[in-house]
Amino acid sequence: MRLDAMELRRVELPLVTPFRTSFGTQTVRTALIVRAITDVGDGWGECVAEVEPLYSSEFLDAAELVICDHLVPRLFNAGDALTAATVAGLLAAVKGHPMAKAALEMAALDAELRAEGVSFATRLGAVRSEVDCGVSVGITSTISALVDLVGRYIDEGYRRIKLKIEPGWDIEPVAAVRARIGSLPLQVDANTAYTVADADHLARLDDFDLLLIEQPLPEDDLRGHAEVAKRVRTPICLDESIISARSAIEAIELGACSIVNIKAGRVGGYLEAVRVHDVCAARGVRVWCGGMLETGLGRAANLALAALPNFALPGDTSASARYWVHDLTDDFVLIDGRLRVPDGPGLGVAPLPDRLSEMTTNVSTLRRDARE
């Protein structure tokens, strides 16, 4: 396969409900969509970096710059030898920037698989045609508003609730939601908001029969997570700390977690995400698929990933209507708490031309022939 051009497109999708975490509040999702134009056909990718460097050090302007100036030229240099499996190696000399790299690998993989008539799900190793879906609920203005919002998601059929927590917004909202939802699976996500000194406070969450506490401490504090894991009964799950299969092995061996949240953008692509899945499975550690407010493109790829055998817990693979009035692709619709895994070639979905045009705020194209 040969990469002839790479189109970069900024799109904006207003959120149905503002989404607040300890990193801030979003009302509009600005995403970077890439289209790999190759000699075997086109492929789509999505960069999940945020506008500001609050969730991670990556942010959208920097991702676009590194894609244009440092990453795509290396893919052009591969000539006819480019494959999705070679993307990571070709880009390895550029340090960091996993979300930017993941977007390009995703587009290359989509192009390759569309040409071969093979689905993402088949290529990644999926064993299910549908996946159980959870929903992530941000911090609300009041506990009663939170309970009402969670009630609506239960009525829609979601099979697991995840609550964002932070100091001052943890025990009381969790208690209220547990009282509302009964035995429905419930977990919490701290997004690095606590320290080891909060371990005894976090242990109070043991009373609510949670599936897990996600990323309570800063991402570089594996030993602190191991200490917290000794002092709470609820399983500790790592998100931001897991940036590769190697980091997953280290965290597991240190006792820093017993569950892992896998986000393809955070680990540098879907092929590395499969490797994270595999090393966790080999060590008896369950995984689940996190979300980054993806459009239908990223959601399709996430569903394929979440259908692998060791994805034992419902992920943040919510329906399109959870986030958008209109998705970039055909909507993903929740049926009995599940979403169908696309089975068409490649991602199995593509942007709808009218919606893509309507949502686009800027587009540019890098061409191989401009360098020759």
Side-chain angles (χ1 to χ4, degrees):
M1 181 171 69
R2 183 187 67 247
L3 180 65
D4 292 326
M6 185 69 72
E7 179 185 271
L8 286 77
R9 186 181 292 261
R10 291 282 187 106
V11 298
E12 288 190 354
L13 290 78
L15 284 158
V16 171
T17 303
F19 194 73
R20 182 188 162 200
T21 72
S22 10
F23 296 131
T25 301
Q26 292 191 56
T27 58
V28 174
R29 173 61 168 166
T30 301
L32 178 63
I33 304 300
V34 300
R35 179 167 65 110
I37 301 167
T38 81
D39 62 331
V40 300
D42 296 354
W44 295 93
E46 178 172 351
C47 181
V48 297
E50 303 281 358
V51 172
E52 296 183 275
L54 303 178
Y55 171 78
S56 79
S57 59
E58 283 192 86
F59 61 101
L60 215 55
D61 285 345
E64 186 165 359
L65 184 149
V66 79
I67 286 172
C68 292
D69 291 357
H70 301 285
L71 301 183
V72 169
R74 285 172 164 79
L75 301 186
F76 284 149
N77 288 342
D80 294 336
L82 179 67
T83 68
T86 63
V87 168
L90 291 167
L91 304 182
V94 178
K95 305 301 182 185
H97 304 282
M99 294 177 184
K101 293 175 179 178
L104 299 184
E105 182 196 82
M106 177 180 168
L109 186 57
D110 187 36
E112 184 176 285
L113 294 177
R114 286 180 193 271
E116 296 172 356
V118 175
S119 70
F120 245 67
T122 297
R123 172 63 176 82
L124 298 184
V127 296
R128 293 182 287 272
S129 60
E130 298 177 322
V131 299
D132 289 350
C133 295
V135 64
S136 180
V137 186
I139 296 169
T140 55
S141 56
T142 64
I143 291 177
S144 62
L146 175 68
V147 171
D148 289 345
L149 184 58
V150 167
R152 292 201 293 273
Y153 291 135
I154 293 172
D155 291 342
E156 290 173 16
Y158 283 100
R159 291 172 174 249
R160 181 228 70 195
I161 302 296
K162 180 174 89 171
L163 303 180
K164 297 289 185 178
I165 62 170
E166 63 184 17
W169 182 269
D170 44 33
I171 307 301
E172 290 77 13
V174 171
V177 169
R178 173 52 82 200
R180 168 64 178 82
I181 69 175
S183 61
L184 191 76
L186 176 64
Q187 64 193 57
V188 297
D189 181 8
N191 283 127
T192 76
Y194 296 85
T195 70
V196 175
D198 297 309
D200 290 340
H201 178 75
L202 290 169
R204 294 175 61 193
L205 293 169
D206 290 340
D207 294 338
F208 304 111
D209 191 26
L210 302 179
L211 287 175
L212 56 90
I213 301 172
E214 184 180 353
Q215 197 70 44
L217 312 184
E219 58 267 28
D220 60 353
D221 192 3
L222 291 183
R223 294 191 181 278
H225 279 101
E227 177 62 27
V228 171
K230 295 174 183 176
R231 295 165 63 181
V232 302
R233 295 194 308 274
T234 306
I236 299 298
C237 169
L238 290 183
D239 173 358
E240 289 90 343
S241 297
I242 306 302
I243 58 173
S244 64
R246 184 172 63 182
S247 67
I249 293 170
E250 180 183 9
I252 293 165
E253 291 182 349
L254 280 172
C257 65
S258 54
I259 300 174
V260 167
N261 169 356
I262 301 180
K263 293 177 180 171
R266 195 190 63 235
V267 302
Y270 285 91
L271 300 184
E272 181 67 14
V274 171
R275 286 187 279 271
V276 176
H277 164 277
D278 292 348
V279 301
C280 289
R283 290 159 177 79
V285 170
R286 296 174 295 170
V287 302
W288 58 280
C289 186
M292 290 287 290
L293 299 180
E294 291 92 347
T295 73
L297 295 171
R299 198 163 309 281
N302 284 350
L303 287 168
L305 181 67
L308 269 64
N310 193 39
F311 281 84
L313 301 172
D316 292 337
T317 46
S318 304
S320 297
R322 159 67 180 92
Y323 301 108
W324 324 118
V325 175
H326 297 295
D327 206 338
L328 195 58
T329 65
D330 284 327
D331 288 353
F332 285 91
V333 179
L334 197 71
I335 299 176
D336 192 27
R338 297 185 176 96
L339 290 182
R340 183 184 64 82
V341 179
D343 57 6
L347 291 170
V349 301
L352 299 171
D354 288 348
R355 291 189 189 171
L356 184 63
S357 176
E358 177 187 349
M359 296 172 181
T360 296
T361 60
N362 185 66
V363 61
S364 61
T365 304
L366 308 173
R367 299 188 183 278
R368 165 190 295 278
D369 55 18
R371 305 167 68 250
E372 296 174 348

